[in-house]
Amino acid sequence: MRAFLPIFFSGLLLSSLAEVAARAEEKPRAAPDFKKDVLPVFEEKCIRCHGAKRRGGKLDMRTLSALLEGGDTGPALKPGNAKKSLLIELIHYKEMPPKKEEPFITPTELEMLRHWINTMQGKT
Ligand code: HEC
């Protein structure tokens, strides 16, 4: 009987660790904010071609309303649905920024942008 005790306890420990990990994942992440989180990325990597001077595809990325209005192809994003958002699609397939135009969007930034759009509600 005694020999089994350590095994029993290490099993308990592992299952409680797993529980803690699961709970940490469930914790809702704060929704990114356009001005604070998103705009700095766009300013660094997009707005020189999508702002005051140049407007590739007629898209202005300086404000949320301009993004919702969109460019030649229509709205740049669909609130609540990153998968159907043009700008996410273009970044994902490395169409934007155009090839050879650095800096690119990092995977962390793309994840943040997806999260930003997915948590956006009622702004259409
Ligand atoms: C070097 C200039 C340049 C940079 C940097 C750039 N774009 Fe573009 N973008 C363009 C041009 C030009 C077009 C028009 C389509 C084309 O010619 O490919 C365009 C088109 C688009 C469109 C489609 C507009 C429409 O309605 O047709 C989206 C969305 C877009 N860009 C998003 C972005 C995002 C997001 C970034 C930053 C990660 C970015 N772009 C960076 C030049 C640029």
Side-chain angles (χ1 to χ4, degrees):
M1 176 60 200
R2 268 192 113 174
F4 294 114
L5 275 178
I7 296 169
F8 174 71
F9 280 116
S10 62
L12 261 190
L13 182 66
L14 279 183
S15 63
S16 58
L17 278 180
E19 224 172 86
V20 170
R23 239 181 275 145
E25 257 173 56
E26 271 168 33
K27 205 172 125 200
R29 288 173 297 161
D33 176 74
F34 180 68
K35 283 222 169 73
K36 190 161 69 68
D37 305 305
V38 176
L39 201 55
V41 175
F42 286 175
E43 263 164 2
E44 191 192 343
K45 304 182 173 179
C46 315
I47 286 177
R48 72 191 146 94
C49 298
H50 293 283
K53 289 196 199 119
R54 293 174 64 185
R55 222 165 270 181
K58 297 210 176 71
L59 177 64
D60 180 351
M61 296 186 57
R62 291 170 300 170
T63 64
L64 184 55
S65 58
L67 284 162
L68 290 168
E69 203 170 295
D72 288 337
T73 319
L77 57 90
K78 192 172 187 302
N81 197 337
K83 275 202 189 110
K84 292 202 174 145
S85 293
L86 181 64
L87 80 86
I88 297 293
E89 196 176 303
L90 295 181
I91 295 170
H92 178 80
Y93 289 106
K94 309 247 182 322
E95 302 276 339
M96 284 293 148
K99 289 182 185 65
K100 295 192 202 117
E101 296 284 349
E102 291 185 54
F104 301 125
I105 296 282
T106 65
T108 317
E109 286 166 347
L110 180 54
E111 185 47 43
M112 185 276 290
L113 292 173
R114 287 199 167 107
H115 187 44
W116 167 60
I117 293 175
N118 283 332
T119 49
M120 195 187 281
Q121 292 158 353
K123 286 182 183 159
T124 25

